[in-house]
């Protein structure tokens, strides 16, 4: 069933590419194939990045806001109860301590509003461009041009495929299975990292749909209205004293009272925290792409070895600062941040398990018997 479905998509892609580029020009087919890949990847990334807006649209369309608000408040109180039991409910004193000793709310509000999307987009664009740069070096353009002029040429050339006469094996390994992430090609690394990010983002999307959670900043608020004029807050002024820092001090980018924010944003998209999930994914991506130091460098114990280690692992401070930011601005609970980390761990484990299963199937079909599986194939 899976194999038949895969063949259906491959044949569909073949028809589209040949239909646009024509059956005789393999160079044009390669360019169209790359363009088609770019369009589909960008569409997937943009759609995934807009999961918050999509959840807002679904809730606004299918659910009465009053019921939506009550569910979000109930889930928020459950989170607070959980944190009180586990000793994690220190968001209020942490915010008061930061306000009394540091302040700088314009910076922290702008960090919350802008760093989260900008850094994530930069990482996604980097690994995507890196993949396309590698693919361009894997195509033997000269031979492809000669093949296009040959009457015996086939009507379709798989792009950068090991069984294609237009593949340039001198530029990269043609191996299908890989023993580690560092042995994977940039295209395989991109698909592995992208799959983790996409799955994690959609897990958070289902959290926004089925576990709407009122953020801390809205618990004591009585007068914040959405685009339809309905009160968004819980008005629990005696129980909670959170400050809506963006509402009180603003940011350099946007404010909760902006019409576009009221229309597009889901005010109860708190659990799990996408800020935490995306920041941790960026850190994981950086660490995996940097890779461990070479054996020669590791055994030398030089300053260069320690500087490289600091450069590789120093990125961990980014998700830590992000978690601190979302807590002191009262946009998330500690439990939301933990939920984001759990969502990332689940998505990583699921993608890793899928690749491991796929590798074992490949090893079995290639050898005719069960072989010791390598890790992270594509």
């Amino acid at each position: 069933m899976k194999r038949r479905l895969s063949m259906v998509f491959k044949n569909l892609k073949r028809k589209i590419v040949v239909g646009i580029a024509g059956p005789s020009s393999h160079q044009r087919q390669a360019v169209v194939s790359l363009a088609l890949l770019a369009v589909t990847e960008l569409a997937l990334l943009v759609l995934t990045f807009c999961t918050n807006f999509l959840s807002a649209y679904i809730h606004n369309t299918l659910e009465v806001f009053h019921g939506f608000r009550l569910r979000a408040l109930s889930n928020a109180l459950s989170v607070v109860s959980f944190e009180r039991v586990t000793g994690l409910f220190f968001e209020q004193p942490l915010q008061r301590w930061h306000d009394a000793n540091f302040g700088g709310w314009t910076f922290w509000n702008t960090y919350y509003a802008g760093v989260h999307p900008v850094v994530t987009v930069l990482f996604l664009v980097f690994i995507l461009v890196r993949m396309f740069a590698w693919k361009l070096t894997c195509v033997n353009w000269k031979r492809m041009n000669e093949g296009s002029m040959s009457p015996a040429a086939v009507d379709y050339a798989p792009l950068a495929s090991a069984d294609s006469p237009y593949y340039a094996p001198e530029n990269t390994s043609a191996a299908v299975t890989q023993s580690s992430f560092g042995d994977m090609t940039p295209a395989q690394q991109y698909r592995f990292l992208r799959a983790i990010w996409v799955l994690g983002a959609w897990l958070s999307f289902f959290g926004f749909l089925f576990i709407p959670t009122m953020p801390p900043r809205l618990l004591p608020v009585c007068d914040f209205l959405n685009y339809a004029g309905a009160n968004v807050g819980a008005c629990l002024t005696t129980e909670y004293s959170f400050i809506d820092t963006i509402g009180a001090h603003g940011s350099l980018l946007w404010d909760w009272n902006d019409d576009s924010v009221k229309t597009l944003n889901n005010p109860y998209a708190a659990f799990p925290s996408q800020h935490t999930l995306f920041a941790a994914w960026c850190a994981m991506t950086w660490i995996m792409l940097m890779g461990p130091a070479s054996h020669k460098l590791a055994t030398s114990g030089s300053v260069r070895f320690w500087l490289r280690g600091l450069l590789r692992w120093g990125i961990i401070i980014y998700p830590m600062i992000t978690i601190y930011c979302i807590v002191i601005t009262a946009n998330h609970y500690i439990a939301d941040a933990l939920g984001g980390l759990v969502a990332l761990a689940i998505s990583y484990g699921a993608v890793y398990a899928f690749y491991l299963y796929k590798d074992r199937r490949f090893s079995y079909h290639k050898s005719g018997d069960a072989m010791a599986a390598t890790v992270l194939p594509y």
Side-chain angles (χ1 to χ4, degrees):
M1 177 66 181
K2 291 181 180 178
R3 193 167 296 179
R4 287 200 299 268
L5 188 62
S6 176
M7 288 302 299
V8 168
F9 282 111
K10 286 182 180 179
N11 289 331
L12 177 61
K13 179 183 177 182
R14 170 176 177 161
K15 289 180 180 180
I16 294 174
V17 171
V18 174
I20 296 175
S24 59
S25 175
H26 295 137
Q27 280 190 342
R28 198 177 300 126
Q29 288 177 8
V31 172
V32 171
S33 179
L34 283 173
L36 185 63
L37 177 63
V39 169
T40 54
E41 287 296 331
L42 288 174
L44 175 62
L45 297 180
V46 170
L47 179 63
T48 302
F49 204 82
C50 294
T51 47
N52 183 306
F53 307 144
L54 182 60
S55 69
Y57 174 79
I58 293 175
H59 280 301
N60 294 336
T61 305
L62 302 180
E63 188 172 11
V64 178
F65 183 78
H66 180 67
F68 180 33
R69 173 180 168 275
L70 291 180
R71 280 204 302 138
L73 176 58
S74 175
N75 290 331
L77 295 179
S78 297
V79 169
V80 171
S81 299
F82 167 77
E83 290 191 347
R84 290 188 192 276
V85 171
T86 56
L88 294 175
F89 188 66
F90 54 84
E91 293 92 341
Q92 282 187 143
L94 179 62
Q95 187 186 55
R96 287 196 296 265
W97 173 81
H98 179 93
D99 188 42
N101 293 278
F102 299 101
W105 290 117
T106 302
F107 167 80
W108 289 106
N109 294 338
T110 304
Y111 183 99
Y112 175 84
V115 172
H116 158 64
V118 170
V119 174
T120 305
V121 168
L122 287 176
F123 269 82
L124 289 170
V125 169
F126 172 74
I127 62 175
L128 182 64
V129 171
R130 182 171 173 265
M131 176 192 70
F132 278 106
W134 175 83
K135 279 183 171 291
L136 288 171
T137 63
C138 291
V139 179
N140 192 328
W141 296 98
K142 180 179 179 181
R143 186 171 183 181
M144 185 173 288
N145 184 53
E146 294 171 350
S148 301
M149 305 300 294
S150 171
V154 294
D155 64 343
Y156 181 71
L159 180 61
S161 174
D163 57 356
S164 169
Y166 310 110
Y167 182 74
E170 66 273 12
N171 293 328
T172 183
S173 171
V176 178
T177 56
Q178 311 293 337
S179 59
S180 69
F181 181 83
D183 294 330
M184 297 168 74
T185 66
Q188 294 164 342
Q189 291 177 345
Y190 166 78
R191 290 185 173 92
F192 181 77
L193 294 170
R194 183 259 281 144
I196 295 172
W197 180 77
V198 168
L199 181 57
W202 285 100
L203 284 176
S204 66
F205 166 77
F206 287 110
F208 301 159
L209 280 187
F210 299 110
I211 319 175
T213 305
M214 186 176 291
R217 63 182 176 83
L218 292 178
L219 291 178
V221 169
C222 301
D223 56 354
F224 182 70
L225 307 179
N226 66 1
Y227 73 98
N231 181 33
V232 176
C235 205
L236 301 176
T237 55
T238 57
E239 295 91 337
Y240 303 99
S241 59
F242 289 106
I243 303 171
D244 180 3
T245 60
I246 292 182
H249 304 283
S251 75
L252 298 178
L253 300 176
W254 48 260
D255 187 86
W256 297 122
N257 290 312
D258 294 346
D259 291 337
S260 58
V261 175
K262 286 186 175 182
T263 303
L264 296 175
N265 182 59
N266 179 358
Y268 306 135
F271 183 86
S273 166
Q274 272 196 351
H275 278 72
T276 303
L277 193 158
F278 288 3
W281 176 84
C282 290
M284 181 198 72
T285 298
W286 176 268
I287 291 170
M288 295 182 73
L289 290 178
M290 283 282 292
S294 65
H295 179 72
K296 182 178 179 181
L297 189 62
T299 55
S300 66
S302 62
V303 175
R304 186 178 163 206
F305 168 75
W306 293 106
L307 287 176
R308 190 185 187 283
L310 180 62
L311 181 63
R312 184 189 184 198
W313 293 100
I315 191 68
I316 293 177
I317 197 173
Y318 170 56
M320 294 174 64
I321 292 176
T322 300
I323 293 173
Y324 181 76
C325 173
I326 65 176
V327 171
I328 64 169
T329 56
N331 284 291
H332 287 281
Y333 305 95
I334 296 295
D336 298 339
L338 295 178
L341 296 176
V342 169
L344 179 64
I346 291 174
S347 61
Y348 180 92
V351 173
Y352 185 94
F354 171 76
Y355 273 53
L356 192 61
Y357 166 77
K358 192 175 180 181
D359 180 56
R360 286 178 174 172
R361 282 181 58 87
F362 171 82
S363 300
Y364 179 81
H365 288 295
K366 184 177 180 181
S367 65
D369 57 354
M371 292 175 58
T374 54
V375 179
L376 302 180
Y378 180 72

